[in-house]
mmCIF file with all atom_site columns, all heavy atoms in Angstrom:
data_model
loop_
_atom_site.group_PDB
_atom_site.id
_atom_site.type_symbol
_atom_site.label_atom_id
_atom_site.label_alt_id
_atom_site.label_comp_id
_atom_site.label_asym_id
_atom_site.label_entity_id
_atom_site.label_seq_id
_atom_site.pdbx_PDB_ins_code
_atom_site.Cartn_x
_atom_site.Cartn_y
_atom_site.Cartn_z
_atom_site.occupancy
_atom_site.B_iso_or_equiv
_atom_site.pdbx_formal_charge
_atom_site.auth_seq_id
_atom_site.auth_comp_id
_atom_site.auth_asym_id
_atom_site.auth_atom_id
_atom_site.pdbx_PDB_model_num
ATOM 1   N N   . SER A 1 30  ? 41.042 -75.665 58.606 1.00 0.00 ? 30  SER A N   1
ATOM 2   C CA  . SER A 1 30  ? 41.175 -76.126 59.988 1.00 0.00 ? 30  SER A CA  1
ATOM 3   C C   . SER A 1 30  ? 40.742 -77.570 60.131 1.00 0.00 ? 30  SER A C   1
ATOM 4   O O   . SER A 1 30  ? 40.083 -78.141 59.260 1.00 0.00 ? 30  SER A O   1
ATOM 5   C CB  . SER A 1 30  ? 40.338 -75.246 60.922 1.00 0.00 ? 30  SER A CB  1
ATOM 6   O OG  . SER A 1 30  ? 38.971 -75.347 60.596 1.00 0.00 ? 30  SER A OG  1
ATOM 7   N N   . ASP A 1 31  ? 41.117 -78.158 61.249 1.00 0.00 ? 31  ASP A N   1
ATOM 8   C CA  . ASP A 1 31  ? 40.685 -79.503 61.608 1.00 0.00 ? 31  ASP A CA  1
ATOM 9   C C   . ASP A 1 31  ? 39.217 -79.403 62.029 1.00 0.00 ? 31  ASP A C   1
ATOM 10  O O   . ASP A 1 31  ? 38.871 -78.626 62.920 1.00 0.00 ? 31  ASP A O   1
ATOM 11  C CB  . ASP A 1 31  ? 41.546 -80.037 62.750 1.00 0.00 ? 31  ASP A CB  1
ATOM 12  C CG  . ASP A 1 31  ? 41.192 -81.456 63.124 1.00 0.00 ? 31  ASP A CG  1
ATOM 13  O OD1 . ASP A 1 31  ? 40.112 -81.667 63.729 1.00 0.00 ? 31  ASP A OD1 1
ATOM 14  O OD2 . ASP A 1 31  ? 41.982 -82.367 62.811 1.00 0.00 ? 31  ASP A OD2 1
ATOM 15  N N   . THR A 1 32  ? 38.351 -80.168 61.403 1.00 0.00 ? 32  THR A N   1
ATOM 16  C CA  . THR A 1 32  ? 36.918 -80.100 61.665 1.00 0.00 ? 32  THR A CA  1
ATOM 17  C C   . THR A 1 32  ? 36.595 -80.466 63.106 1.00 0.00 ? 32  THR A C   1
ATOM 18  O O   . THR A 1 32  ? 35.698 -79.879 63.715 1.00 0.00 ? 32  THR A O   1
ATOM 19  C CB  . THR A 1 32  ? 36.149 -81.032 60.705 1.00 0.00 ? 32  THR A CB  1
ATOM 20  O OG1 . THR A 1 32  ? 36.469 -80.659 59.369 1.00 0.00 ? 32  THR A OG1 1
ATOM 21  C CG2 . THR A 1 32  ? 34.649 -80.951 60.904 1.00 0.00 ? 32  THR A CG2 1
ATOM 22  N N   . ASP A 1 33  ? 37.325 -81.420 63.673 1.00 0.00 ? 33  ASP A N   1
ATOM 23  C CA  . ASP A 1 33  ? 37.017 -81.909 65.015 1.00 0.00 ? 33  ASP A CA  1
ATOM 24  C C   . ASP A 1 33  ? 37.590 -81.033 66.128 1.00 0.00 ? 33  ASP A C   1
ATOM 25  O O   . ASP A 1 33  ? 36.922 -80.773 67.121 1.00 0.00 ? 33  ASP A O   1
ATOM 26  C CB  . ASP A 1 33  ? 37.525 -83.347 65.177 1.00 0.00 ? 33  ASP A CB  1
ATOM 27  C CG  . ASP A 1 33  ? 36.897 -84.284 64.154 1.00 0.00 ? 33  ASP A CG  1
ATOM 28  O OD1 . ASP A 1 33  ? 35.693 -84.141 63.873 1.00 0.00 ? 33  ASP A OD1 1
ATOM 29  O OD2 . ASP A 1 33  ? 37.620 -85.154 63.623 1.00 0.00 ? 33  ASP A OD2 1
ATOM 30  N N   . THR A 1 34  ? 38.828 -80.560 65.965 1.00 0.00 ? 34  THR A N   1
ATOM 31  C CA  . THR A 1 34  ? 39.489 -79.815 67.044 1.00 0.00 ? 34  THR A CA  1
ATOM 32  C C   . THR A 1 34  ? 39.476 -78.307 66.837 1.00 0.00 ? 34  THR A C   1
ATOM 33  O O   . THR A 1 34  ? 39.709 -77.561 67.780 1.00 0.00 ? 34  THR A O   1
ATOM 34  C CB  . THR A 1 34  ? 40.956 -80.258 67.186 1.00 0.00 ? 34  THR A CB  1
ATOM 35  O OG1 . THR A 1 34  ? 41.686 -79.856 66.019 1.00 0.00 ? 34  THR A OG1 1
ATOM 36  C CG2 . THR A 1 34  ? 41.063 -81.771 67.393 1.00 0.00 ? 34  THR A CG2 1
ATOM 37  N N   . GLY A 1 35  ? 39.264 -77.852 65.587 1.00 0.00 ? 35  GLY A N   1
ATOM 38  C CA  . GLY A 1 35  ? 39.318 -76.432 65.299 1.00 0.00 ? 35  GLY A CA  1
ATOM 39  C C   . GLY A 1 35  ? 40.728 -75.908 65.062 1.00 0.00 ? 35  GLY A C   1
ATOM 40  O O   . GLY A 1 35  ? 40.924 -74.723 64.797 1.00 0.00 ? 35  GLY A O   1
ATOM 41  N N   . LYS A 1 36  ? 41.733 -76.778 65.189 1.00 0.00 ? 36  LYS A N   1
ATOM 42  C CA  . LYS A 1 36  ? 43.121 -76.371 64.965 1.00 0.00 ? 36  LYS A CA  1
ATOM 43  C C   . LYS A 1 36  ? 43.252 -75.775 63.560 1.00 0.00 ? 36  LYS A C   1
ATOM 44  O O   . LYS A 1 36  ? 42.829 -76.383 62.580 1.00 0.00 ? 36  LYS A O   1
ATOM 45  C CB  . LYS A 1 36  ? 44.055 -77.565 65.098 1.00 0.00 ? 36  LYS A CB  1
ATOM 46  C CG  . LYS A 1 36  ? 45.479 -77.271 64.697 1.00 0.00 ? 36  LYS A CG  1
ATOM 47  C CD  . LYS A 1 36  ? 46.333 -78.527 64.683 1.00 0.00 ? 36  LYS A CD  1
ATOM 48  C CE  . LYS A 1 36  ? 47.708 -78.212 64.102 1.00 0.00 ? 36  LYS A CE  1
ATOM 49  N NZ  . LYS A 1 36  ? 48.498 -79.432 63.933 1.00 0.00 ? 36  LYS A NZ  1
ATOM 50  N N   . ILE A 1 37  ? 43.841 -74.588 63.474 1.00 0.00 ? 37  ILE A N   1
ATOM 51  C CA  . ILE A 1 37  ? 44.032 -73.938 62.177 1.00 0.00 ? 37  ILE A CA  1
ATOM 52  C C   . ILE A 1 37  ? 45.329 -74.436 61.551 1.00 0.00 ? 37  ILE A C   1
ATOM 53  O O   . ILE A 1 37  ? 46.400 -74.281 62.132 1.00 0.00 ? 37  ILE A O   1
ATOM 54  C CB  . ILE A 1 37  ? 44.047 -72.400 62.315 1.00 0.00 ? 37  ILE A CB  1
ATOM 55  C CG1 . ILE A 1 37  ? 42.674 -71.910 62.791 1.00 0.00 ? 37  ILE A CG1 1
ATOM 56  C CG2 . ILE A 1 37  ? 44.432 -71.741 60.995 1.00 0.00 ? 37  ILE A CG2 1
ATOM 57  C CD1 . ILE A 1 37  ? 42.599 -70.421 63.059 1.00 0.00 ? 37  ILE A CD1 1
ATOM 58  N N   . TYR A 1 38  ? 45.203 -75.054 60.385 1.00 0.00 ? 38  TYR A N   1
ATOM 59  C CA  . TYR A 1 38  ? 46.383 -75.513 59.653 1.00 0.00 ? 38  TYR A CA  1
ATOM 60  C C   . TYR A 1 38  ? 47.010 -74.362 58.866 1.00 0.00 ? 38  TYR A C   1
ATOM 61  O O   . TYR A 1 38  ? 48.219 -74.217 58.824 1.00 0.00 ? 38  TYR A O   1
ATOM 62  C CB  . TYR A 1 38  ? 46.022 -76.631 58.669 1.00 0.00 ? 38  TYR A CB  1
ATOM 63  C CG  . TYR A 1 38  ? 45.639 -77.926 59.321 1.00 0.00 ? 38  TYR A CG  1
ATOM 64  C CD1 . TYR A 1 38  ? 44.338 -78.403 59.233 1.00 0.00 ? 38  TYR A CD1 1
ATOM 65  C CD2 . TYR A 1 38  ? 46.572 -78.686 60.011 1.00 0.00 ? 38  TYR A CD2 1
ATOM 66  C CE1 . TYR A 1 38  ? 43.977 -79.600 59.827 1.00 0.00 ? 38  TYR A CE1 1
ATOM 67  C CE2 . TYR A 1 38  ? 46.217 -79.888 60.611 1.00 0.00 ? 38  TYR A CE2 1
ATOM 68  C CZ  . TYR A 1 38  ? 44.923 -80.340 60.513 1.00 0.00 ? 38  TYR A CZ  1
ATOM 69  O OH  . TYR A 1 38  ? 44.565 -81.521 61.097 1.00 0.00 ? 38  TYR A OH  1
ATOM 70  N N   . ASN A 1 148 ? 40.066 -84.873 58.845 1.00 0.00 ? 148 ASN A N   1
ATOM 71  C CA  . ASN A 1 148 ? 38.760 -84.295 58.540 1.00 0.00 ? 148 ASN A CA  1
ATOM 72  C C   . ASN A 1 148 ? 38.954 -82.780 58.583 1.00 0.00 ? 148 ASN A C   1
ATOM 73  O O   . ASN A 1 148 ? 39.171 -82.214 59.662 1.00 0.00 ? 148 ASN A O   1
ATOM 74  C CB  . ASN A 1 148 ? 37.752 -84.771 59.583 1.00 0.00 ? 148 ASN A CB  1
ATOM 75  C CG  . ASN A 1 148 ? 36.336 -84.421 59.230 1.00 0.00 ? 148 ASN A CG  1
ATOM 76  O OD1 . ASN A 1 148 ? 36.061 -83.782 58.222 1.00 0.00 ? 148 ASN A OD1 1
ATOM 77  N ND2 . ASN A 1 148 ? 35.418 -84.835 60.087 1.00 0.00 ? 148 ASN A ND2 1
ATOM 78  N N   . VAL A 1 149 ? 38.917 -82.120 57.419 1.00 0.00 ? 149 VAL A N   1
ATOM 79  C CA  . VAL A 1 149 ? 39.249 -80.699 57.354 1.00 0.00 ? 149 VAL A CA  1
ATOM 80  C C   . VAL A 1 149 ? 38.067 -79.866 56.859 1.00 0.00 ? 149 VAL A C   1
ATOM 81  O O   . VAL A 1 149 ? 37.194 -80.359 56.152 1.00 0.00 ? 149 VAL A O   1
ATOM 82  C CB  . VAL A 1 149 ? 40.486 -80.436 56.463 1.00 0.00 ? 149 VAL A CB  1
ATOM 83  C CG1 . VAL A 1 149 ? 41.706 -81.167 57.013 1.00 0.00 ? 149 VAL A CG1 1
ATOM 84  C CG2 . VAL A 1 149 ? 40.233 -80.823 55.021 1.00 0.00 ? 149 VAL A CG2 1
ATOM 85  N N   . THR A 1 150 ? 38.095 -78.605 57.243 1.00 0.00 ? 150 THR A N   1
ATOM 86  C CA  . THR A 1 150 ? 37.061 -77.654 56.858 1.00 0.00 ? 150 THR A CA  1
ATOM 87  C C   . THR A 1 150 ? 37.705 -76.398 56.300 1.00 0.00 ? 150 THR A C   1
ATOM 88  O O   . THR A 1 150 ? 38.684 -75.904 56.849 1.00 0.00 ? 150 THR A O   1
ATOM 89  C CB  . THR A 1 150 ? 36.191 -77.268 58.074 1.00 0.00 ? 150 THR A CB  1
ATOM 90  O OG1 . THR A 1 150 ? 35.562 -78.437 58.590 1.00 0.00 ? 150 THR A OG1 1
ATOM 91  C CG2 . THR A 1 150 ? 35.126 -76.253 57.700 1.00 0.00 ? 150 THR A CG2 1
ATOM 92  N N   . LYS A 1 154 ? 36.472 -66.782 57.623 1.00 0.00 ? 154 LYS A N   1
ATOM 93  C CA  . LYS A 1 154 ? 36.285 -66.315 58.992 1.00 0.00 ? 154 LYS A CA  1
ATOM 94  C C   . LYS A 1 154 ? 36.910 -64.938 59.147 1.00 0.00 ? 154 LYS A C   1
ATOM 95  O O   . LYS A 1 154 ? 37.865 -64.610 58.465 1.00 0.00 ? 154 LYS A O   1
ATOM 96  C CB  . LYS A 1 154 ? 36.970 -67.250 59.990 1.00 0.00 ? 154 LYS A CB  1
ATOM 97  C CG  . LYS A 1 154 ? 36.292 -68.565 60.221 1.00 0.00 ? 154 LYS A CG  1
ATOM 98  C CD  . LYS A 1 154 ? 36.993 -69.296 61.332 1.00 0.00 ? 154 LYS A CD  1
ATOM 99  C CE  . LYS A 1 154 ? 36.252 -70.539 61.750 1.00 0.00 ? 154 LYS A CE  1
ATOM 100 N NZ  . LYS A 1 154 ? 36.926 -71.206 62.877 1.00 0.00 ? 154 LYS A NZ  1
#
Side-chain angles (χ1 to χ4, degrees):
S30 63
D31 183 288
T32 303
D33 301 321
T34 67
K36 172 187 173 187
I37 295 176
Y38 291 113
N148 190 358
V149 300
T150 299
K154 286 186 172 182

